[in-house]
Amino acid sequence: MTRFATAGGSGGSAPLGGSGGLGVLDGSGKEWRTHATHLVLPAAASWMTALVLLGCSAATGAVAAGLTAAGALAVAVLTRAQGATGRRNAAIAVLGCAAAVAGSVAFRVHAAGTGPVAELASRNASAVAEVVVTDDPRETNRRGGPFPRESFVVPARVESVGTGAGRVALRAPVVLFVSGTGWRSLLPSQRVEVSGRFGRADPGELLTAVVLVRGAPRVLSGPSWEQRAAGALRSGLREAAGVLPPAQRGLLPGLVVGDVSRMDEQVKADFKAAGLSHLLAVSGANLAVVAGAAVALARVAGLPLAARAVLAMAAMVAFAVVARPSPSVLRALLMGGVAALALGTGRSRDGVAALSATVLGLVFFVPDLARSYGFALSVSATAGILVLAPGWRDRLSARMPRWFAEATAVAAAAQVAVTPVLVLMSGQLAPVAIPANLLAGPAVAPATLLGFAVALVAPLHMGLAQLLVRPAGLATGWIIEVAEHIAALPLGVIPWPGGVTGLLLLAGAVPLAVLVLRHRRPCLVALAALAGLVLAVTVAAPIVARWPPRGWLLVACDVGQGDALLVAAGPGRAVVVDAGPDPVPVDRCLRSMGIGEVPLVILTHPHLDHVGGLDGVFRGRAVGAVIVTPHGAGERDGVRLSADLARRHVVEWAARPGASWRFGPSELTVIGPVAEDPPPGAGEGAAVNNASVVVHVRWAAGAALLSGDIETEAQAELLRRGLPPAEILKVPHHGSGRYDPAFLAASGARAALISVGADNGYGHPAPSTLTALHRLGMRAYRTDLSGDLAVVVREGALAVVARGRATPLAGVPWGTARMGGAGAGRVPVLAGRYGPGPGSGRAARVRPRFRPGGAGPGPGRVVRAGSWFWPGGAGRVPVPAGRYGPDPGSARGVWVSSRFWPGGGTRCPRRRRRPTGCSARNGT
């Protein structure tokens, strides 16, 4: 969303004229009703036209342009003698603008779908091309794999490409998907040569192709002088901010120029939960500061109005180059240009008309903005401030100081205006966004102003810039504190149906809420109910909540495709075994368990899915020491990990078998790696996996074996030297198929914890591993299906408690259903076809109406299953024979026959041809 301070001003109109942020709409509002409506309807019609036609062919766009142009001409000719001039002009304007936008879209769709590059994309062919970078490379957030890899998305324009007929010069917009450090330093306007495979872009995008680039770029020319200067300002700001604490040094460039390349992932998550993400989108507030400073200098110099307007416009254009032309920047720049024109000519400013003209111009010249959520959020927030805030401010002024009334009205109007877009985009409501913006707002302007000064001074004198950045750090620190505390509030984000369904529900809920609030008695009842709900959530919920469970001993955190385990070490303390791939989920898990101190961190091996979230462990917590594998010192990942720990000034110890620690109720003993040189194993990274630190944890009620990612070879070595028994087994390597059955059996465990990410690309957990655990009598618990898993003491024995996932899996409808047959329990069951293999003609259909809770799409929507009755997208869970329905024993269920079960542990499928590996003796 855009900054709430933008409109004050219509993208810069307030500082240009010196009036208050909402001064353009003071008074009766008659001006916007009589003049701005002539632009509002054409702007809306143009936006809708582009939104629809971007997904259509060029021919469809051309036909639409012809029809709407003919309609405009017909209205102009046939209604010439009639008296409804206003309606006639409005209809002509709507149809004429729609025709122009339709023609623009048709032309661009045709240009993107034809030519040599489009032909290469249609054949998925490879070629060498010269491209010009058009925006900063954006690093992709790649988490969950074992190996760190710097991957980037680079918007570019192909200038020439090699074909069978020779080299062809052209201009075609593309997106490059690249890897390697050589791409990070590229600036817009640089010309590079790349080699890669061309592919089709997604429908609705005005791109000729996407290019999967192989290797590093060959730089052919440097950036233009203006981009070189912009790069110097951005890099200078980053360097000067380096003296601040990590969270503040990453946020300040984001507030000033939208540079979030170094921003802490947890801060990003807090900003999103608190409704403050718009502060990171450079928009009208930034341009207003720049233009205001320019106008103030011009006024001091005694320049006339026209010169002030020119200077303000030049300053805004220069800032847009530095901040990069994002949708919100383009919107604010054009609105600021309209305001500057009004200033220079001495005319009054109409914010709604300026916004409508901006939308018209941008949709015509950059029609793909019509499908940009960033553009929709920016326009919606600005419209809300311009239309709703003045009236709300005037009403609130009777009950509170005017300055506070204006701040509240602006924040509330912007949030109300963007709520439909947020519902459509993410399916949620954020009631805490208004108080969060009120609390953070006072610190935004000082941080932004000081950040501008730092960016300008840094290229000239870095020492002075580092002095100026200190007070800016204090302001950003306050914003971070606000985001962190607001994000932790209960009911801060309320789930809401997404898409069109959510919009319809919102459209019905809003009039009802307005009707209730307009009458005193219903309003009091609603407020009382709301107060009771808040009281129940904030006071009663922590008392009766089942999480964190009382007396927990071990927690397997749901961190996606990776490991992060917490071992109880006393009140508010835990030993952390691995940190997962991402700082945000591991920090969330530690927060949910109330952990403020970590006396020991054990990193089993230096793969990214085990150490990538280390920042989340250190965030706001005291860490005593870190244990690492003794065999990682020579590895590149091990060297990187050691350097990171040295930067944090934390003690690093190498694990040795027999080393033991006792913290609270837990006694931890290292039992591996036992070999001086870890066995190499098969596959990339197997040697590092086999060097994993293996820990045996004992409590009064039992024990657990935490096995890292050891594979078959290391498991056999541990087994040869003797394996201590345990009731709980953390299954090695996320349930990989490379396991030793004897190792699993020797553990003697009754429950198996599998830390794994939903829909991962590795096939974890492997079907053979799940079957082996089932055959050994182990109950398997998975984080991808059940969320965080806690080991607790119940009636003197260890038990596993699942927290449950907060939301369904990535939009896939699912629910828990009682399953019959061997291994009865609760597993997610999707609607779909279940059979022994892909494309099987003998399958049982589980209809959507039998899904518990009726979640998901209606009847007829089928999710096809792969082999072994894996419900598609549900984390690959075997479904035994039995009756499935909304309730155990339901008479209206679907029977899944055992003959379709390729490995149920009792008998083979009744088919003429047995599946591979099926034994008549054990049926597996």
Side-chain angles (χ1 to χ4, degrees):
M1 118 185 29
T2 180
R3 283 182 194 241
F4 289 161
T6 48
S10 56
S13 60
L16 293 179
S19 62
L22 297 173
V24 294
L25 288 179
D26 283 345
S28 64
K30 185 183 298 183
E31 181 178 351
W32 102 261
R33 286 196 298 269
T34 56
H35 299 290
T37 49
H38 295 300
L39 285 173
V40 171
L41 292 179
S46 299
W47 195 342
M48 291 301 103
T49 300
L51 184 66
V52 172
L53 293 180
L54 279 172
C56 302
S57 64
T60 302
V63 170
L67 291 177
T68 49
L73 184 61
V75 171
V77 172
L78 298 179
T79 61
R80 180 178 302 175
Q82 298 180 11
T85 306
R87 294 180 181 180
R88 173 178 176 273
N89 292 341
I92 294 173
V94 167
L95 292 173
C97 290
V101 169
S104 174
V105 172
F107 173 77
R108 285 169 171 79
V109 169
H110 175 75
T114 56
V117 174
E119 183 182 353
L120 289 171
S122 65
R123 296 187 286 110
N124 289 327
S126 297
V128 177
E130 292 184 8
V131 303
V132 172
V133 178
T134 56
D135 201 352
D136 290 305
R138 298 190 298 271
E139 187 170 7
T140 57
N141 187 18
R142 185 185 183 275
R143 303 282 184 180
F147 307 107
R149 181 184 303 169
E150 292 185 308
S151 301
F152 301 88
V153 176
V154 185
R157 182 179 65 251
V158 175
E159 297 281 340
S160 68
V161 64
T163 64
R167 200 152 196 87
V168 180
L170 71 165
R171 293 169 66 89
V174 297
V175 168
L176 312 179
F177 292 92
V178 302
S179 298
T181 57
W183 293 90
R184 184 185 295 275
S185 59
L186 292 182
L187 292 173
S189 76
Q190 280 192 271
R191 192 182 186 96
V192 297
E193 183 181 82
V194 299
S195 174
R197 182 179 297 275
F198 289 71
R200 292 183 182 274
D202 291 336
E205 294 188 0
L206 294 181
L207 294 174
T208 305
V210 295
V211 187
L212 303 178
V213 177
R214 296 185 295 267
R218 187 167 75 88
V219 178
L220 302 178
S221 65
S224 60
W225 69 267
E226 61 271 18
Q227 292 294 346
R228 188 179 293 110
L233 292 176
R234 292 168 69 94
S235 62
L237 177 59
R238 286 195 300 267
E239 183 180 350
V243 300
L244 299 176
Q248 297 176 17
R249 78 170 66 120
L251 176 59
L252 184 61
L255 289 175
V256 179
V257 294
D259 181 0
V260 296
S261 59
R262 297 186 179 181
M263 192 167 174
D264 183 87
E265 293 296 329
Q266 184 59 54
V267 175
K268 284 184 182 179
D270 290 343
F271 269 53
K272 183 177 180 181
L276 295 175
S277 296
H278 62 91
L279 296 178
L280 307 176
V282 175
S283 57
N286 305 73
L287 288 173
V289 171
V290 172
V295 170
L297 291 176
R299 185 176 296 172
V300 171
L303 297 178
L305 283 179
R308 296 180 197 178
V310 171
L311 185 60
M313 194 63 207
M316 289 189 290
V317 171
F319 178 76
V321 173
V322 175
R324 309 301 189 229
S326 65
S328 58
V329 171
L330 289 175
R331 192 271 311 158
L333 180 61
L334 284 187
M335 289 190 68
V338 173
L341 180 62
L343 173 67
T345 58
R347 297 183 179 181
S348 61
R349 299 176 303 281
D350 185 340
V352 176
L355 178 61
S356 302
T358 297
V359 171
L360 269 174
L362 287 177
V363 170
F364 179 79
F365 290 104
V366 193
D368 49 339
L369 287 178
R371 290 197 171 189
S372 167
Y373 276 118
F375 182 67
L377 289 169
S378 177
V379 172
S380 299
T382 306
I385 293 172
L386 292 171
V387 176
L388 300 177
W392 293 1
R393 176 203 58 196
D394 294 340
R395 293 184 181 181
L396 292 173
S397 296
R399 299 177 176 86
M400 60 185 68
R402 186 174 179 83
W403 63 268
F404 189 71
E406 183 157 347
T408 304
V410 168
Q415 188 62 32
V416 167
V418 301
T419 294
V421 183
L422 293 177
V423 166
L424 188 65
M425 180 174 65
S426 57
Q428 63 182 28
L429 301 176
V432 297
I434 296 174
N437 281 277
L438 288 174
L439 291 171
V444 173
T448 305
L449 283 170
L450 289 169
F452 285 143
V454 170
L456 294 173
V457 171
L460 305 176
H461 194 288
M462 183 56 65
L464 179 58
Q466 290 176 341
L467 288 176
L468 287 174
V469 85
R470 299 286 184 179
L474 296 177
T476 55
W478 168 256
I479 300 171
I480 291 170
E481 287 295 321
V482 169
E484 180 177 346
H485 286 84
I486 292 293
L489 292 176
L491 295 181
V493 176
I494 301 176
W496 190 270
V500 177
T501 303
L503 283 180
L504 294 176
L505 288 175
L506 187 66
V510 169
L512 181 62
V514 172
L515 184 64
V516 168
L517 293 176
R518 283 183 176 273
H519 296 83
R520 181 177 180 83
R521 188 179 298 275
C523 181
L524 292 177
V525 172
L527 290 177
L530 180 62
L533 178 62
V534 172
L535 187 65
V537 171
T538 56
V539 178
I543 299 176
V544 301
R546 63 186 185 91
W547 202 266
R550 182 173 52 86
W552 67 274
L553 299 173
L554 173 70
V555 171
C557 299
D558 179 16
V559 294
Q561 183 65 15
D563 278 3
L565 307 168
L566 312 183
V567 180
R573 306 171 79 229
V575 174
V576 176
V577 181
D578 287 329
D582 191 329
V584 175
V586 70
D587 180 55
R588 173 201 57 79
C589 185
L590 287 162
R591 287 191 197 184
S592 70
M593 303 305 295
I595 303 302
E597 182 182 354
V598 180
L600 187 68
V601 176
I602 301 175
L603 301 176
T604 60
H605 61 295
H607 279 167
L608 184 67
D609 55 341
H610 291 251
V611 303
L614 202 55
D615 284 341
V617 177
F618 279 83
R619 182 175 172 80
R621 299 177 185 88
V623 177
V626 178
I627 306 297
V628 299
T629 176
H631 302 302
E635 296 287 337
R636 181 183 59 182
D637 296 337
V639 172
R640 185 185 294 110
L641 176 60
S642 295
D644 183 35
L645 296 176
R647 177 180 60 83
R648 301 176 189 274
H649 305 290
V650 65
V651 178
E652 177 185 353
W653 294 331
R656 299 296 177 189
S660 180
W661 301 268
R662 186 168 189 86
F663 298 100
S666 308
E667 181 181 350
L668 298 91
T669 303
V670 176
I671 64 173
V674 294
E676 294 184 0
D677 293 316
E684 186 181 11
V688 179
N689 288 338
N690 282 329
S692 293
V693 179
V694 181
V695 180
H696 187 259
V697 186
R698 287 190 57 81
W699 305 286
L705 182 62
L706 313 182
S707 55
D709 275 4
I710 58 173
E711 299 187 4
T712 308
E713 300 80 12
Q715 294 172 24
E717 182 65 21
L718 274 176
L719 188 60
R720 186 178 66 81
R721 301 204 178 199
L723 195 65
E727 285 77 14
I728 306 293
L729 170 67
K730 202 290 293 184
V731 178
H733 201 185
H734 323 293
S736 163
R738 299 202 73 244
Y739 68 93
D740 187 341
F743 173 84
L744 299 180
S747 70
R750 295 181 291 106
L753 308 182
I754 305 177
S755 184
V756 66
D759 299 328
N760 65 84
Y762 305 96
H764 296 162
S768 58
T769 305
L770 294 173
T771 301
L773 295 173
H774 176 75
R775 191 186 321 117
L776 292 170
M778 294 190 203
R779 175 77 178 275
Y781 298 87
R782 298 166 48 176
T783 57
D784 62 329
L785 301 179
S786 302
D788 298 338
L789 304 170
V791 176
V792 299
V793 179
R794 294 291 183 266
E795 299 178 357
L798 298 182
V800 178
V801 176
R803 185 178 190 182
R805 295 186 65 89
T807 56
L809 298 175
V812 179
W814 70 297
T816 55
R818 181 72 62 181
M819 63 180 185
R826 286 185 176 272
V827 296
V829 177
L830 280 135
R833 299 187 68 85
Y834 294 81
S840 169
R842 306 184 65 187
R845 181 186 294 275
V846 180
R847 297 191 179 183
R849 65 169 179 252
F850 294 125
R851 267 204 311 280
R861 175 72 177 271
V862 172
V863 180
R864 290 194 176 276
S867 60
W868 283 46
F869 297 96
W870 306 128
R876 303 177 69 86
V877 176
V879 180
R883 185 175 292 276
Y884 291 82
D887 297 300
S890 170
R892 296 189 63 197
V894 175
W895 183 265
V896 180
S897 174
S898 60
R899 66 182 173 184
F900 295 121
W901 176 238
T906 54
R907 63 174 181 266
C908 289
R910 286 182 275 176
R911 301 174 60 192
R912 293 184 178 181
R913 182 178 180 182
R914 299 182 187 277
T916 304
C918 183
S919 165
R921 180 176 59 83
N922 58 22
T924 60

